[in-house]
């Protein structure tokens, strides 16, 4: 079985600061990391490989050349192969163009049985790319996956809901978007990091994945960014203390005093 994991290099949002004058993100000097949900997706694939060593795990990303560092991290965690879709023509892509390129890349990877993606990237935050890739490949998709049991030609998953979960069976090939509750990603060993730097990473441009430049990047991005801004900070919250009944009474009194109830 081959599992392909879509991984994205993102700025570590814990380190991102806001320019107080312009209200924009200060990205300079901010370290890049493997998107957290994607680390869970990769870990899920690696656990399946731990149980069945014939499983192959491959990581694929679309990004600038620096994304190879993140792909080496994936290799050091245990992925067998890594693919980077990188080309100036891919620049300025919205989620629509991003998923077109990723889907074109996946088509070039032979014998993929299951695709894992993160639920959402911590920078773009749209959670659109996974389902869009599935749609472009004509595959079934299950989002918010918090448990995965591989079967023969099918996968049984738990899909996280607000008040519980759904248990679904889906035939392969399919795409699953993974949430952090799935697992705790493993650490890389020093030996594995050294080995990861000896491995080849396959780099593909638009021609290698049969895409015309007019169908990728900014050229194929219908999204128009009208305005971006930092939301005004909310006032300081008030913490209630005491027993549950004291806090409930205090909350009701406060809402009553403000004529909210
Ligand atoms: C007009 C416009 C121009 C933009 N220009 C740029 C630009 O020049 N450079 C830039 O970096 N961003 C750019 N962006 C942002 C870019 O569109 C998004 O970062 C990207 O489409 C992914 O969307 P997301 O972050 O919401 O991912 P989500 O949909 O939240 O991600 C869900 C999952 O999809 C997978 N995934 C997402 N992106 C990738 C990827 N690149 N490779 C592999 N897997 C992935 C991961 O598994 C991830 O967990 C632009 C956006 C717009 C609207």
């Amino acid at each position: 079985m081959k599992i392909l994991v879509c991984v994205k290099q993102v700025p570590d949002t814990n380190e991102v600061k806001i320019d107080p004058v312009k209200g924009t993100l200060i990205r300079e000097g901010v370290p890049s990391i493997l998107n957290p949900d994607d680390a869970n997706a990769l870990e899920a694939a690696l656990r399946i490989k731990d149980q069945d060593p014939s499983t192959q795990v491959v990581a694929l990303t679309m990004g600038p050349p620096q994304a190879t560092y993140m792909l080496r991290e994936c290799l050091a965690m245990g992925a067998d192969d890594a693919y980077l879709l990188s080309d100036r023509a891919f620049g300025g892509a919205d989620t629509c163009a991003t998923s077109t390129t990723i889907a074109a890349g996946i088509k070039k990877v032979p014998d993929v049985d299951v695709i894992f993606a993160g639920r959402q990237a911590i920078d773009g935050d749209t959670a659109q790319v996974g389902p869009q890739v599935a749609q472009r490949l004509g595959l079934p998709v299950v989002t918010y996956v918090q448990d995965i049991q591989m079967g023969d030609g099918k996968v049984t998953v738990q899909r996280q809901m607000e008040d519980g979960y759904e248990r679904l069976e889906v035939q392969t090939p399919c795409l699953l978007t993974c949430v952090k509750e799935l697992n705790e990603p493993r650490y890389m060993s020093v030996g594995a990091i050294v080995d990861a730097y000896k491995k080849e990473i396959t780099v593909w441009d638009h021609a290698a994945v049969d895409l015309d430049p007019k169908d990728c990047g900014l050229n194929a991005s219908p999204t128009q960014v009208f305005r971006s801004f930092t939301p005004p900070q909310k006032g300081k919250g008030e913490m209630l203390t005491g027993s549950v009944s004291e806090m409930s009474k205090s909350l009701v009194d406060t809402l009553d005093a403000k004529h909210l109830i």
Side-chain angles (χ1 to χ4, degrees):
M1 184 187 1
K2 188 184 277 184
I3 306 173
L4 183 145
V5 187
C6 297
V7 288
K8 184 183 181 193
Q9 191 182 42
V10 293
D12 186 349
T13 47
N14 291 322
E15 304 282 334
V16 171
K17 301 206 169 39
I18 310 276
D19 184 315
V21 181
K22 295 185 201 151
T24 52
L25 297 183
I26 305 170
R27 288 175 183 265
E28 289 78 35
V30 176
S32 294
I33 57 168
L34 169 61
N35 180 53
D37 283 351
D38 304 354
N40 296 108
L42 179 59
E43 176 62 31
L46 293 173
R47 286 187 189 189
I48 294 164
K49 181 179 158 79
D50 290 343
Q51 283 176 1
D52 175 3
S54 70
T55 303
Q56 268 199 301
V57 177
V58 303
L60 177 141
T61 193
M62 181 192 89
Q66 304 89 282
T68 48
Y69 294 110
M70 174 204 61
L71 289 175
R72 298 226 180 264
E73 191 180 330
C74 298
L75 292 169
M77 282 174 74
D80 298 286
D81 281 311
Y83 297 84
L84 170 64
L85 295 157
S86 197
D87 190 326
R88 283 204 168 274
F90 299 152
D94 65 1
T95 61
C96 188
T98 299
S99 55
T100 301
T101 302
I102 293 173
I106 292 174
K107 280 187 197 159
K108 289 284 166 183
V109 180
D111 308 322
V112 175
D113 295 293
V114 189
I115 302 162
F116 291 176
R119 174 187 63 127
Q120 156 170 14
I122 57 170
D123 57 345
D125 248 0
T126 65
Q128 292 174 355
V129 171
Q132 285 180 356
V133 169
Q135 195 268 337
R136 294 192 190 293
L137 294 171
L139 298 180
V141 58
V142 184
T143 52
Y144 293 83
V145 169
Q146 61 175 15
D147 184 62
I148 302 170
Q149 301 297 328
M150 299 303 296
D152 195 13
K154 63 179 184 187
V155 194
T156 307
V157 299
Q158 275 183 19
R159 180 169 188 265
Q160 193 180 72
M161 314 283 286
E162 258 180 39
D163 52 354
Y165 63 84
E166 283 178 344
R167 199 155 173 273
L168 299 166
E169 197 175 275
V170 57
Q171 67 193 48
T172 57
C174 61
L175 187 148
L176 311 176
T177 79
C178 304
V179 294
K180 68 174 187 309
E181 287 76 11
L182 193 55
N183 52 45
E184 187 66 39
R186 66 193 62 190
Y187 288 107
M188 301 167 280
S189 68
V190 175
I193 296 171
V194 173
D195 289 346
Y197 274 84
K198 293 179 193 153
K199 285 193 177 169
E200 284 280 317
I201 289 177
T202 305
V203 183
W204 283 331
D205 62 6
H206 72 273
V209 293
D210 303 330
L211 277 179
D212 192 302
K214 73 172 174 26
D215 297 324
C216 37
L218 193 58
N219 292 336
S221 295
T223 311
Q224 302 276 329
V225 179
F226 172 62
R227 185 165 69 100
S228 56
F229 62 96
T230 312
Q233 283 196 344
K234 290 188 183 155
K236 200 161 171 267
E238 185 189 334
M239 292 300 289
L240 302 176
T241 52
S243 67
V244 172
S245 57
E246 285 165 349
M247 288 192 290
S248 311
K249 181 173 182 322
S250 170
L251 179 62
V252 170
D253 289 348
T254 307
L255 293 174
D256 195 25
K258 291 178 186 281
H259 304 292
L260 291 171
I261 52 173

